[in-house]
Amino acid sequence: MDLKPLFLAHVETLQKNTEKVLAELGLETLVLHSGKDVYYADDDMTVPFRPYHHFAYWCPLEGPGHMVVVAAGKKPTLYYHSPADYWHEHSKIGEEFWTTAFDVVERPDEATIWAAVTGLRHAAYVGPDAERAKAAGLATGIDSMASRLNWDRSFKTPYEVECTVGATKLAATGHAAAKEAFFAGGSELDIHNAFLRAMRVTELELPYQTIVCLNEKGAVLHYHRKRDDVRSGKAMLIDAGAKVRGYASDITRTYVAESAHTVFRHLLTGMETLQQAVVHAVKPGVSFADLHAKSHLLVARLLLEQGILRKTTAEAAVEDALTGPFYPHGLGHQLGLFVHDVAGKQLDRHGGMSRPNPKFKYLRTNRVLGAGNLITIEPGLYFIDMLLAPFREGAHREKFDWDLIGQLTPFGGIRIEDDVLVTEAGVRNLTREQM
């Protein structure tokens, strides 16, 4: 696909939105900084670099020290930091699909770039080096600016969607290899390496550290060990994505061996069905909190169908928070340059924040969805001893089949996650297009 027209349209949208923000705040110029190298404490090694997110929104150029300067009615200027350096490799700009969107000014050191933005009238800085920006006379920390920029960014342009499609396609290749490695009896480390090898990337190129869980480790929501001594797993949960031009995909799948407990196998089938039911309910004007509540009701019905909960109804189980220990996280989140992208809890572009239901305190977004929002849908069902323990002696203890729960606990948990785009017509499932 020819990305050039998509990117030019993307920058045109960003320019229009930014000019509106500048006018609202009485400003003339916005300076966006890619960032600087950060060192580990008491060490001369740097933390792996990622460009500051608002810079990356405008420009896919990697590396520290670059700046994009946006002013009303003018073509944006890219100050490209290109040092003479034989210790490290630096990005070189050729005839990239995105370069014609900017007036590109190459500078060999950061000081000359900072000098170019020092003293700009009515200018604001967005980046990680606020102290140096203040010294340059740039306004920093304008809360109302951050909320406006973040809100606009939560509505993806066609260019951003195409980047996410690319990241999804790449991750699908890795997931297929991981699935094959699991059914071949591989260890967590084998499966992780198969995921990377199929995509031909390094770990530093991933948007987040992979979660590869065999058996009981599927109940650890952010499990990052890669055991090499556990093989031929009964169940595997893998949460892993890819990154293309800075944009992330975030996909989770659960697989079970034929020797797994029959009820756990039925739970997996049920979770796959209910996850798709929630996806199909996505459309403009729907509250994400309502989708989350719907997913809890569906999980309650599944737990009752399989006899894990009993002597209650699905509605009562949700009201009594009996689904909470099985499903302790949120339904999903915004997705983009961040895996958990910006503005998830904003009510509007002015920064009003929503108040979540206290029963669902870990919900990462609870806003009303609009066309262009890119979100994940990832209901889960787990057997976590520390969360179930309070119910063993509580008023609702007879509503749990504790013997069955004990049989299922060694299989860990289930999570199914797709990346979906809210459209005017409803929803587009980017993940299911690829796998």
Side-chain angles (χ1 to χ4, degrees):
M1 173 176 284
D2 184 4
L3 290 171
K4 184 174 180 178
L6 282 179
F7 187 78
L8 289 173
H10 171 72
V11 170
E12 184 178 347
T13 297
L14 271 55
Q15 180 80 23
K16 179 181 177 181
N17 290 343
T18 302
E19 287 183 6
K20 180 180 179 181
V21 172
L22 292 173
E24 290 172 341
L25 300 178
L27 297 166
E28 296 178 2
T29 305
L30 180 63
V31 177
L32 302 148
H33 185 202
S34 72
K36 61 181 181 178
D37 280 324
V38 176
Y39 290 82
Y40 290 107
D42 302 325
D43 199 348
D44 65 353
M45 291 188 65
T46 57
V47 174
F49 182 83
R50 287 190 177 181
Y52 187 72
H53 56 111
H54 280 297
F55 175 90
Y57 184 42
W58 276 84
C59 181
L61 179 62
E62 296 287 334
H66 314 301
M67 288 188 183
V68 167
V69 178
V70 185
K74 296 180 181 180
K75 188 175 184 179
T77 299
L78 168 64
Y79 287 98
Y80 162 47
H81 178 223
S82 178
D85 180 6
Y86 59 85
W87 290 100
H88 310 97
E89 182 182 29
H90 295 269
S91 299
K92 296 297 181 183
I93 295 182
E95 292 298 320
E96 310 292 345
F97 69 88
W98 51 268
T99 53
T100 57
F102 304 97
D103 286 330
V104 179
V105 179
E106 184 174 351
R107 291 288 184 265
D109 60 80
E110 292 185 75
T112 58
I113 294 176
W114 278 101
V117 301
T118 297
L120 289 175
R121 283 172 42 84
H122 307 298
Y125 168 89
V126 174
D129 197 350
E131 184 176 344
R132 191 166 185 179
K134 288 178 182 177
L138 304 175
T140 63
I142 305 173
D143 289 338
S144 54
M145 171 173 280
S147 62
R148 286 168 167 84
L149 295 178
N150 289 343
W151 181 262
D152 289 340
R153 206 176 100 191
S154 68
F155 298 91
K156 307 307 181 195
T157 65
Y159 165 74
E160 293 179 281
V161 173
E162 188 59 32
C163 290
T164 308
V165 168
T168 305
K169 185 179 296 186
L170 182 59
T173 302
H175 273 268
K179 177 182 178 181
E180 182 179 352
F182 165 66
F183 283 111
S187 67
E188 291 167 352
L189 183 61
D190 290 332
I191 295 163
H192 166 77
N193 286 336
F195 179 79
L196 294 177
R197 189 163 51 247
M199 298 194 303
R200 302 192 66 78
V201 300
T202 67
E203 290 184 63
L204 288 179
E205 294 174 280
L206 299 178
Y208 59 96
Q209 190 174 353
T210 62
I211 297 171
V212 181
C213 314
L214 291 180
N215 305 333
E216 79 287 353
K217 296 302 183 182
V220 182
L221 301 186
H222 287 171
Y223 171 75
H224 289 139
R225 280 180 60 199
K226 304 292 186 296
R227 296 177 297 177
D228 200 26
D229 59 342
V230 178
R231 298 175 177 273
S232 300
K234 300 289 188 181
M236 177 185 74
L237 186 156
I238 175 168
D239 186 336
K243 187 170 62 172
V244 168
R245 291 180 290 278
Y247 287 84
S249 59
D250 184 2
I251 302 167
T252 307
R253 291 293 182 266
T254 305
Y255 302 103
V256 295
E258 290 186 3
S259 57
H261 196 291
T262 300
V263 172
F264 194 82
R265 294 175 63 83
H266 289 328
L267 287 173
L268 176 56
T269 300
M271 288 297 293
E272 290 172 338
T273 299
L274 78 83
Q275 189 264 357
Q276 286 298 286
V278 178
V279 168
H280 293 316
V282 171
K283 61 182 179 180
V286 170
S287 163
F288 199 84
D290 288 345
L291 291 175
H292 182 70
K294 174 185 176 70
S295 70
H296 266 269
L297 183 62
L298 294 174
V299 167
R301 289 174 182 169
L302 180 60
L303 291 168
L304 286 164
E305 287 170 6
Q306 297 304 317
I308 296 165
L309 289 179
R310 58 195 180 184
K311 300 179 182 179
T312 187
T313 64
E315 292 76 9
V318 174
E319 179 63 27
D320 294 334
L322 304 188
T323 53
F326 298 102
Y327 178 14
H329 59 73
L331 175 63
H333 49 80
Q334 303 279 329
L335 181 67
L337 289 165
F338 286 162
V339 177
H340 300 146
D341 212 19
V342 296
K345 295 183 179 180
Q346 281 186 223
L347 288 171
D348 52 47
R349 65 190 300 271
H350 301 294
M353 302 297 286
S354 56
R355 293 184 179 181
N357 185 324
K359 289 184 179 179
F360 305 142
K361 61 182 178 179
Y362 294 116
L363 191 56
R364 293 185 185 273
T365 182
N366 47 14
R367 57 189 277 180
V368 173
L369 298 176
N373 290 159
L374 181 61
I375 58 173
T376 69
I377 299 293
E378 50 177 311
L381 195 164
Y382 314 86
F383 297 92
I384 304 172
D385 286 335
M386 67 178 293
L387 297 183
L388 288 164
F391 291 89
R392 291 181 181 273
E393 302 299 330
H396 300 292
R397 61 186 179 277
E398 296 300 322
K399 297 175 183 176
F400 296 77
D401 186 332
W402 295 110
D403 179 64
L404 180 55
I405 288 171
Q407 295 175 46
L408 297 173
T409 297
F411 299 94
I414 298 164
R415 185 165 66 254
I416 311 294
E417 179 182 21
D418 290 344
D419 304 337
V420 305
L421 177 70
V422 185
T423 68
E424 294 288 355
V427 64
R428 177 185 173 190
N429 192 326
L430 303 184
T431 304
R432 299 289 168 152
E433 291 177 359
Q434 306 299 333
M435 59 187 297

